[in-house]
């Protein structure tokens, strides 16, 4: 991919966090880890291979795809984006009022574990989470001369303030990913130039927000000691904060996946209900249609990596099919984003990269918020120019 497309961030490299997590498992840093069952090993190998096949299926036919008309989607209305931003800010301030203040400062100053007591307005909280992509949207407005530099600065400051008070590291990373790809696109620079700096910045932001959350729970021990105890890493083991953090968010998720695979073989496959459970639960369709879910198979709360849901529903067949589809979809969006001026495909590609970065946690393809972001991007980019 580096030779052909000269892009470090490409459909194959975005699988790297997942592959690295699988590789990292062998070091067995935590006492909570267990030897992976043979079925789990097969599942991991099948998923990686199927994903790679899906990528190359598109790339080998790249010329035919690029011969089609290049569609240039542009954001339709600044006013519409302003309205959605204001609505999201109103919901945010209402949630802070119901929580009792701004969560970040409560945690930092009063050493209170506010993260577990934060109040979210059902469904409407998605508008608060959506603020994470607004700096990228307004930056594209600024570069096209549609807003002033002052308005861009105000939006960015408000967005950062909201993001640190949501205290969700995942949403903070989403904002960074969107800004990274938008900056590269509108300035016509290669992403290779900034990828290392952005990766380091994202890692530091992830650890910093984690530090604030840890201090709000227990400030009597160091962050490393707390993480060791939480992750089940022996205190005498010589490891650094990165080792423990990466183990906690990758290897232990693979342990959860191992438990799920072992358990579902005794219970029976879900045939679609696990891949759609985030949607069904959000809109209460599980209650309306008496669909039962065991807590052991909630792959979002238990974090069973991107592989869990396809296997829980369809076994090895599901892993092969969805692995192929993810590689297929990511490759198409990569080509569309790279070889056109479409801001829509650039945003789609940014979202897909974020989903794959999160693949070591859970399957963000199945998360309702991900699809709300896709729909939002689609509707705000209805203005189209077609060029040969």
């Amino acid at each position: 991919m580096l030779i052909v497309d000269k892009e470090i961030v490409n459909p194959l490299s975005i699988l790297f966090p997942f592959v690295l997590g699988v590789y990292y498992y062998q070091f067995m840093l935590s006492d909570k880890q267990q030897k992976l069952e043979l079925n789990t090993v097969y599942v991991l190998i099948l998923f990686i291979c199927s994903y790679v096949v899906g990528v190359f299926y598109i790339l080998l036919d790249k010329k035919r795809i690029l011969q089609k008309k290049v569609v240039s989607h542009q954001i339709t209305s600044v006013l519409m984006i302003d309205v959605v931003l204001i609505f999201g800010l109103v919901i945010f301030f209402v949630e802070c009022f119901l929580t009792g203040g701004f969560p970040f400062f409560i945690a930092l100053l009063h050493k209170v574990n506010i993260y577990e007591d934060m109040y979210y307005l059902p469904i409407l909280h998605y508008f608060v989470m959506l603020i994470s992509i607004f700096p990228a949207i307004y930056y594209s407005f600024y570069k096209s001369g549609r807003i002033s530099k002052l308005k861009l600065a105000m939006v960015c400051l408000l967005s950062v303030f909201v993001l640190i008070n949501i205290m969700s590291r995942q949403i903070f990373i989403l904002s960074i990913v969107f800004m990274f790809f938008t900056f590269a696109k509108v300035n016509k620079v290669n992403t290779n130039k900034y990828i290392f700096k952005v990766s380091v910045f994202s890692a530091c932001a992830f650890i910093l927000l984690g530090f604030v959350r840890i201090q709000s729970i227990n400030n009597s021990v160091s962050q490393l000691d707390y993480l060791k105890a939480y992750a089940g890493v022996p205190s005498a083991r010589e490891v650094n904060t990165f080792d423990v953090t990466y183990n906690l968010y990758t290897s232990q998720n693979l342990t959860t996946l191992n438990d799920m695979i072992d358990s579902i073989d005794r219970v029976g496959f879900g045939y679609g209900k696990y891949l759609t459970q985030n949607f069904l639960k959000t809109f209460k369709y599980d209650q309306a249609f008496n669909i039962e879910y065991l807590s052991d198979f909630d792959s979002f709360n238990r974090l069973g990596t991107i592989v869990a849901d396809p296997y829980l529903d369809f076994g090895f067949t599901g892993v092969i099919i969805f692995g192929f589809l993810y590689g297929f979809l990511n490759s198409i969006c990569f080509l569309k984003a790279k070889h056109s001026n479409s801001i829509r495909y650039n945003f789609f590609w940014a979202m897909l990269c974020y989903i794959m970065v999160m693949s070591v946690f859970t399957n963000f393809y199945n998360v309702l918020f991900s699809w709300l972001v896709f729909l939002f991007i689609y509707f705000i980019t209805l203005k189209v120019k077609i060029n040969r």
Side-chain angles (χ1 to χ4, degrees):
M1 286 297 297
L2 286 172
I3 294 171
V4 175
D5 286 293
K6 299 180 177 59
E7 296 274 359
I8 293 177
V9 183
N10 59 63
L12 282 183
S13 68
I14 59 176
L15 186 64
F16 178 73
F18 181 81
V19 175
L20 183 61
V22 174
Y23 169 78
Y24 211 75
Y25 194 90
Q26 69 180 311
F27 298 112
M28 304 296 283
L29 297 184
S30 171
D31 291 338
K32 295 181 180 180
Q33 290 179 244
Q34 56 191 245
K35 184 178 178 180
L36 297 179
E37 298 289 340
L38 196 58
N39 274 0
T40 306
V41 176
Y42 288 152
V43 164
L44 294 172
I45 294 173
L46 284 173
F47 176 79
I48 293 170
C49 292
S50 300
Y51 180 91
V52 172
V53 170
V55 170
F56 280 108
Y57 181 83
I58 293 298
L59 295 183
L60 290 175
D61 199 24
K62 181 170 70 172
K63 289 183 179 180
R64 186 177 64 85
I65 295 173
L66 296 180
Q67 284 173 353
K68 295 181 179 179
K69 293 179 179 179
V70 177
V71 180
S72 179
H73 301 91
Q74 304 299 327
I75 301 176
T76 307
S77 170
V78 177
L79 178 60
M80 183 174 68
I81 304 300
D82 288 341
V83 171
V84 177
L85 173 62
I86 291 171
F87 184 74
L89 289 172
V90 170
I91 299 300
F92 166 71
F93 286 117
V94 170
E95 290 180 342
C96 289
F97 175 78
L98 295 173
T99 301
F102 296 117
F104 180 82
F105 297 101
I106 293 175
L108 189 64
L109 300 176
H110 300 289
K111 310 298 182 184
V112 176
N113 184 15
I114 192 65
Y115 185 72
E116 294 182 357
D117 299 323
M118 290 168 64
Y119 187 87
Y120 300 126
L121 293 174
I123 307 297
L124 295 178
H125 181 68
Y126 287 122
F127 285 94
V128 181
M129 297 168 65
L130 205 60
I131 292 175
S132 59
I133 69 173
F134 276 52
I137 293 174
Y138 278 90
Y139 184 75
S140 69
F141 283 151
Y142 168 70
K143 294 300 290 187
S144 62
R146 299 172 70 180
I147 64 170
S148 66
K149 191 173 184 178
L150 177 61
K151 184 172 182 178
L152 172 65
M154 289 178 60
V155 169
C156 289
L157 287 173
L158 280 171
S159 298
V160 171
F161 182 78
V162 171
L163 292 177
I164 65 173
N165 278 284
I166 293 178
M167 296 185 71
S168 171
R169 290 168 288 183
Q170 298 170 3
I171 298 300
F172 203 90
I173 291 175
L174 174 63
S175 184
I176 294 172
V177 170
F178 263 76
M179 180 56 83
F180 168 64
F181 283 103
T182 304
F183 176 86
K185 190 68 174 181
V186 300
N187 290 291
K188 301 187 186 314
V189 297
N190 196 300
T191 55
N192 298 350
K193 187 176 180 180
Y194 299 99
I195 184 63
F196 178 75
K197 295 178 181 178
V198 171
S199 299
V200 171
F201 177 77
S202 300
C204 292
F206 190 91
I207 292 174
L208 179 62
L209 286 173
F211 173 76
V212 174
R213 284 167 54 172
I214 289 171
Q215 290 301 304
S216 69
I217 299 171
N218 188 340
N219 62 349
S220 60
V221 298
S222 68
Q223 183 183 20
L224 179 57
D225 290 337
Y226 179 87
L227 286 172
K228 279 185 173 182
Y230 187 78
V233 177
S235 58
R237 184 161 292 167
E238 291 294 332
V239 291
N240 56 42
T241 301
F242 173 82
D243 287 325
V244 181
T245 302
Y246 199 78
N247 175 270
L248 179 62
Y249 289 101
T250 58
S251 297
Q252 297 199 34
N253 298 338
L254 291 169
T255 300
T256 302
L257 173 67
N258 190 61
D259 291 339
M260 288 179 169
I261 290 174
D262 183 56
S263 301
I264 198 68
D265 288 339
R266 296 192 297 268
V267 176
F269 298 122
Y271 299 105
K273 74 176 186 180
Y274 294 109
L275 283 163
T276 58
Q277 68 174 309
N278 192 266
F279 302 87
L280 297 177
K281 288 182 177 179
T282 299
F283 295 106
K284 308 299 182 183
Y285 286 117
D286 58 323
Q287 298 177 11
F289 296 100
N290 296 319
I291 301 174
E292 296 184 0
Y293 291 99
L294 298 176
S295 58
D296 290 343
F297 302 129
D298 190 334
S299 61
F300 189 76
N301 288 328
R302 293 198 68 204
L303 300 179
T305 79
I306 193 174
V307 184
D309 291 331
Y311 186 85
L312 292 177
D313 274 334
F314 304 107
F316 291 115
T317 303
V319 172
I320 295 171
I321 291 174
F322 282 92
F324 178 86
L325 287 176
Y326 297 155
F328 182 94
L329 174 65
N330 292 349
S331 299
I332 290 178
C333 279
F334 169 73
L335 292 176
K336 296 278 190 180
K338 181 179 178 181
H339 296 284
S340 76
N341 292 323
S342 171
I343 196 70
R344 173 188 290 178
Y345 284 114
N346 188 64
F347 286 155
F348 280 175
W349 173 236
M351 190 64 195
L352 290 172
C353 287
Y354 168 76
I355 288 173
M356 293 307 298
V357 168
M358 295 293 117
S359 63
V360 293
F361 295 89
T362 190
N363 192 349
F364 270 78
Y365 283 106
N366 300 347
V367 174
L368 178 60
F369 176 67
S370 298
W371 290 100
L372 290 177
V373 172
F374 284 127
L375 286 173
F376 180 72
I377 292 169
Y378 176 81
F379 283 116
I380 67 173
T381 55
L382 292 177
K383 186 177 180 181
V384 176
K385 296 179 182 179
I386 299 178
N387 302 313
R388 291 290 183 181

